């Protein structure tokens, strides 16, 4: 095992792992930066629910490849974690956005147009 | 479609009994032979072959990965640039998808591609309200979603 450490294959796999984990870390950083810089709840949800998903996914993928090829250990929990992340994070983003809209949190000043306002008001008018 | 898959498994079981090979290899060979028979008998099914639907699911998955990476980079550029000139907007998207699971899948895909976030679905599930982080042209945004995700989902659900 020791002498195979420096074969071509290991080098390629290592490069892949380094790229994946670096991309993951960069996207996580962008998420944090977005949370600080963006103006309102909705645009922050954009940053939090997606760039972080891709970042965490890349890190998990890199870890999976490392254990599979370097340590010769297939770890199914990592695959399941990636799948669950895919399923749950859009729902979380949607619910945060919807809950904040329904409780009347205003959009940012830069907002160009708002179609949902018309629909919500129309529905409220029907209920009365 | 489920019927065809079930039939394929049944044929594989019959093959295992006929050849007396109760191993994973025997099952795999039986499955391939059964698939061949189903392809030969495709005229007698009222729906298209299930393999084409599986292919549609796989291509939808890769389309989604592509969109995810491409638009991640666009948000990356947006956040990193020194002056923050974003123009958020909420726009309406009329969808022609009818089933619950199709609408759920479409909104999950829209939400996971950076730049768009579904914040509301109308009562009759015909209109999605999408918050876009940087909004330049409504026609563009609507048609790009319609041409990529909606068409791919329709391709999956087509009977």
């Amino acid at each position: 095992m020791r002498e195979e450490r420096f074969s071509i294959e290991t080098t390629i796999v290592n490069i892949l792992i380094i790229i994946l984990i670096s991309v993951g870390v960069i996207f996580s950083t962008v998420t944090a930066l977005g949370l600080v810089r963006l103006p309102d709840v909705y645009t922050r949800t954009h940053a939090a629910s997606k760039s972080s998903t891709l970042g965490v996914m890349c890190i998990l993928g890199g870890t999976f490849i490392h254990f599979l090829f370097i340590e010769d250990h297939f770890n199914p929990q990592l695959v399941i974690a990636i799948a669950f992340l895919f399923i749950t994070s859009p729902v979380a983003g949607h619910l945060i956005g919807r809950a904040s809209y329904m409780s009347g949190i205003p959009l940012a000043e830069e907002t160009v147009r708002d179609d949902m306002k018309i629909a919500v008001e129309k529905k409220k008018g029907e209920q009365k | 479609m489920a019927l065809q898959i079930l039939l394929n498994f049944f044929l594989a079981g019959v093959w295992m009994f006929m050849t007396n090979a109760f191993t994973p290899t025997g099952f795999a060979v039986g499955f391939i032979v059964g698939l061949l028979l189903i392809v030969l008998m495709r005229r007698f099914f009222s729906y298209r072959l299930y393999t084409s639907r599986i292919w549609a699911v796989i291509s939808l998955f890769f389309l989604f990965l592509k969109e995810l990476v491409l638009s991640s980079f666009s948000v990356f550029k947006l956040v990193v640039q020194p002056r923050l000139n974003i123009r958020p907007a909420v726009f309406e998207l009329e969808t022609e998808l009818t089933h619950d699971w199709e609408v759920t899948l479409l909104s999950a895909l829209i939400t996971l591609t950076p730049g768009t976030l579904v914040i509301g679905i109308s009562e009759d599930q015909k209109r999605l309200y999408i918050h876009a982080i940087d909004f330049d042209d409504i026609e563009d945004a609507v048609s790009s979603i319609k041409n990529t995700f909606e068409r791919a989902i329709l391709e999956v659900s087509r009977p």
Side-chain angles (χ1 to χ4, degrees):
Chain A
M1 204 60 207
R2 265 288 164 212
E3 56 269 23
E4 283 175 21
R5 270 289 144 98
F6 299 103
S7 65
I8 301 278
E9 262 178 63
T10 350
T11 316
I12 294 172
V13 167
N14 273 332
I15 290 172
L16 193 64
I17 293 167
I18 290 169
I19 289 174
L20 273 177
I21 293 195
S22 320
V23 167
V25 169
I26 289 170
F27 274 116
S28 303
T29 319
V30 166
T31 305
L33 202 65
L35 282 182
V36 177
R37 292 194 67 192
L38 290 172
D40 69 340
V41 132
Y42 307 97
T43 43
R44 282 179 188 155
T45 315
H46 276 282
S49 72
K50 286 158 296 207
S51 303
S52 69
T53 312
L54 193 67
V56 176
M57 255 177 48
C58 283
I59 293 175
L60 284 179
T63 319
F64 176 73
I65 290 175
H66 176 266
F67 276 104
L68 186 61
F69 288 103
I70 308 288
E71 314 272 334
D72 275 338
H73 170 67
F74 177 75
N75 194 340
Q77 279 99 337
L78 285 173
V79 183
I80 291 184
I82 293 176
F84 281 168
L85 211 68
F86 250 128
I87 300 168
T88 51
S89 69
V91 181
H94 168 69
L95 282 181
I96 293 169
R98 188 187 146 80
S100 46
Y101 197 97
M102 287 305 173
S103 52
I105 294 174
L107 297 155
E109 287 158 20
E110 294 95 336
T111 306
V112 189
R113 60 183 281 171
D114 189 357
D115 286 348
M116 192 170 167
K117 195 174 164 189
I118 308 160
V120 170
E121 270 170 7
K122 205 171 134 195
K123 205 177 144 236
K124 272 186 185 155
E126 278 169 11
Q127 277 171 352
K128 271 171 194 170
Chain B
M1 168 195 167
L3 188 79
Q4 290 177 13
I5 295 177
L6 216 60
L7 184 65
N8 206 160
F9 273 96
F10 176 70
L11 287 173
V14 170
W15 178 267
M16 279 157 76
F17 269 95
M18 272 168 39
T19 55
N20 198 15
F22 295 99
T23 55
T25 326
F27 179 81
V29 173
F31 200 84
I32 293 170
V33 172
L35 187 62
L36 213 66
L37 284 175
I38 288 177
V39 171
L40 281 178
M41 299 289 165
R42 64 183 174 278
R43 276 185 51 222
F44 300 102
F45 296 109
S46 47
Y47 297 120
R48 64 196 169 127
L49 280 178
Y50 77 88
T51 45
S52 68
R53 190 175 291 202
I54 289 172
W55 178 249
V57 171
I58 293 171
S59 58
L60 174 64
F61 180 72
F62 277 104
L63 168 79
F64 167 64
L65 273 189
K66 192 191 98 192
E67 292 282 319
L68 183 62
V69 172
L70 281 184
S71 39
S72 277
F73 278 104
S74 70
V75 165
F76 182 90
K77 271 191 288 184
L78 215 67
V79 172
V80 168
Q81 68 192 2
R83 279 193 65 244
L84 205 61
N85 54 347
I86 54 167
R87 299 193 303 141
V90 180
F91 65 93
E92 195 182 74
L93 172 78
E94 203 139 338
T95 176
E96 49 191 289
L97 301 176
T98 46
H99 295 104
D100 283 357
W101 67 269
E102 291 171 350
V103 178
T104 312
L105 187 63
L106 181 67
S107 48
L109 291 182
I110 292 172
T111 303
L112 264 184
T113 47
T116 48
L117 175 75
V118 178
I119 58 170
I121 298 170
S122 69
E123 293 278 294
D124 55 354
Q125 300 187 348
K126 280 273 165 263
R127 286 180 293 281
L128 302 176
Y129 295 97
I130 301 173
H131 183 270
I133 194 168
D134 191 24
F135 173 83
D136 16 81
D137 190 13
I138 186 164
E139 297 295 329
D140 250 20
V142 167
S143 69
S144 80
I145 289 172
K146 271 200 175 290
N147 285 334
T148 54
F149 291 136
E150 197 173 28
R151 189 178 287 174
I153 292 174
L154 277 176
E155 184 62 31
V156 171
S157 68
R158 193 164 59 87

